[in-house]
Amino acid sequence: MARTDPDAPASTAWRIERAALLRTSLVVATAVAVYGLSFGALAVAAGFSLAQTCAMSLFMFNGASQLAFVGTLGAGGSMLVAVASALLIGARNASYGVRLAPLLGIRGLRRMLAAVVTVDESTALAMANERADDRGRAGRFGFWSAGVAVYLLWNLTTVIGAIAAQHLGDPRALGLDSAVAAGLAALVWPSLRDAATRRAAAVAALVAIALTPVAPAGVPVILAGLVAVAVVVRVDRALPSRSAALPRDAFGTAA
Amino acid sequence: MWGPLGATALGLYLEKLAGYLLPASVLEQASVRRIAALLPIALLAAIVAVQTVGSGRGVALDARIPGLAVAVVLLSRRANFLVTVVGAAATTAIVRHLGWMA
């Protein structure tokens, strides 16, 4: 059988593959949508206005960072600490760009747009579909379709969640103060299959609690994260070498 | 609130963009990749802990704990995000409503 020409405008095989990639993107975006609803509601419950809540999803576009930002300020942390927490959590996105740059092969305006939608889901879909025999076409399509689908649904559901929360009553009576922790636990959960990651999470949780009475709000989280990673990286070095884990999909989707 | 919000948005975007501009060798080091993978999880775990028992400048054991416990049970049974969050919030709300814990 002759190999399909990767540059043929729309061969049947490519049409089928493209439809499958779009479907997968929608499934991934639907999972994120649920999270967007929660984020919108929690941000409003934490005292952010509707406009601020929507601006966060539009311009930050990083779920875990947004929840950390809202959680830190909601718990009375200083603004500097809230910004630092969000940026430390978002640092992994830089590693995605390094990974994606050769696949996407773009410059200028398109590269600046690609950076906007460089998140867990788009990276996961790009990497899962990266192949040599189509010169990366499926990987590139997966990146853009997942990135755009997640961006649209994330922002749409943020608005819906935020508006719904404006009509809810006392956040404490509804138990919303444990919803942030539960939501973040759900994000972390898939990564805990890895033993070293589990150790880092446990160390970080314990250090954060221990520091809470003695450090300003938000600071224990940052210190605990740094200490835990330092400890685990050291332990790893003492143990037989293992391959570095790739950044996991922090939205907990199975992409 | 808009100032730190804008600063965070700009910072997060620059982080994303930096990946495309950095030489690949920076992140090819195993230790850098390892830290990039571990740090978000460690930070999120720390936030989970503080959100569950932190109370301003102190620690308080209240109805958030049964809420998180239910979330963990649900997650271990492969519940999805919505079920987990609603289950935790409902547990906390019920425990509080019944007056078992603050």
Side-chain angles (χ1 to χ4, degrees):
Chain A
M1 195 183 118
R3 254 189 54 189
T4 47
D5 176 8
D7 288 330
S11 68
T12 310
W14 170 236
R15 270 203 301 270
I16 292 169
E17 182 168 20
R18 204 167 49 184
L21 285 167
L22 278 173
R23 264 198 310 278
T24 308
S25 299
L26 280 179
V27 170
V28 170
T30 309
V32 170
V34 173
Y35 183 25
L37 283 175
S38 316
F39 170 74
L42 293 171
V44 167
F48 289 86
S49 71
L50 178 62
Q52 286 166 338
T53 303
C54 293
M56 278 188 269
S57 283
L58 279 170
F59 300 116
M60 291 186 192
F61 190 46
N62 190 310
S65 291
Q66 289 175 227
L67 263 189
F69 186 78
V70 164
T72 304
L73 287 174
S78 77
M79 294 183 176
L80 192 65
V81 173
V83 176
S85 305
L87 293 185
L88 278 172
I89 289 171
R92 72 182 183 290
N93 289 331
S95 70
Y96 295 167
V98 172
R99 184 72 180 66
L100 291 168
L103 171 69
L104 297 179
I106 44 176
R107 332 204 119 260
L109 185 64
R110 291 190 67 186
R111 185 161 65 186
M112 295 182 76
L113 281 176
V116 173
V117 293
T118 298
V119 288
D120 301 309
E121 290 76 14
S122 53
T123 306
L125 220 66
M127 282 161 55
N129 294 286
E130 187 178 12
R131 296 196 312 268
D133 68 357
D134 70 352
R135 298 183 209 163
R137 181 166 66 172
R140 281 192 295 277
F141 190 84
F143 171 80
W144 287 107
S145 64
V148 172
V150 169
Y151 188 83
L152 293 179
L153 262 118
W154 175 247
N155 280 285
L156 178 69
T157 51
T158 295
V159 183
I160 296 171
I163 291 173
Q166 288 181 324
H167 300 284
L168 291 175
D170 172 21
R172 267 180 56 86
L174 294 166
L176 284 181
D177 52 342
S178 70
V180 177
L184 291 173
L187 295 192
V188 169
W189 195 260
S191 302
L192 299 183
R193 278 185 292 237
D194 174 55
T197 309
R198 226 166 25 233
R199 277 198 298 276
V203 171
L206 292 175
V207 173
I209 293 172
L211 289 176
T212 294
V214 294
V219 174
V221 167
I222 293 176
L223 287 178
L226 297 174
V227 167
V229 171
V231 167
V232 169
V233 168
R234 245 157 218 273
V235 170
D236 269 11
R237 256 185 220 143
L239 294 171
S241 72
R242 70 180 90 211
S243 62
L246 278 171
R248 289 194 80 95
D249 169 11
F251 277 105
T253 50
Chain B
M1 207 65 93
W2 283 106
L5 202 156
T8 307
L10 182 65
L12 285 172
Y13 178 70
L14 291 177
E15 282 175 343
K16 292 174 178 175
L17 190 62
Y20 291 90
L21 306 175
L22 282 174
S25 56
V26 177
L27 280 144
E28 269 165 12
Q29 297 169 45
S31 61
V32 174
R33 281 171 56 179
R34 190 85 185 117
I35 291 168
L38 284 175
L39 189 58
I41 302 301
L43 288 165
L44 293 172
I47 295 175
V48 169
V50 171
Q51 290 279 336
T52 305
V53 298
S55 177
R57 252 313 186 43
V59 169
L61 306 182
D62 59 27
R64 290 172 295 175
I65 292 174
L68 187 71
V70 165
V72 169
V73 170
L74 287 170
L75 286 170
S76 67
R77 292 172 176 249
R78 296 162 181 267
N80 68 29
F81 189 88
L82 184 65
V83 170
T84 305
V85 170
V86 171
T91 304
T92 297
I94 290 167
V95 167
R96 214 169 254 156
H97 184 72
L98 295 175
W100 292 348
M101 291 173 105

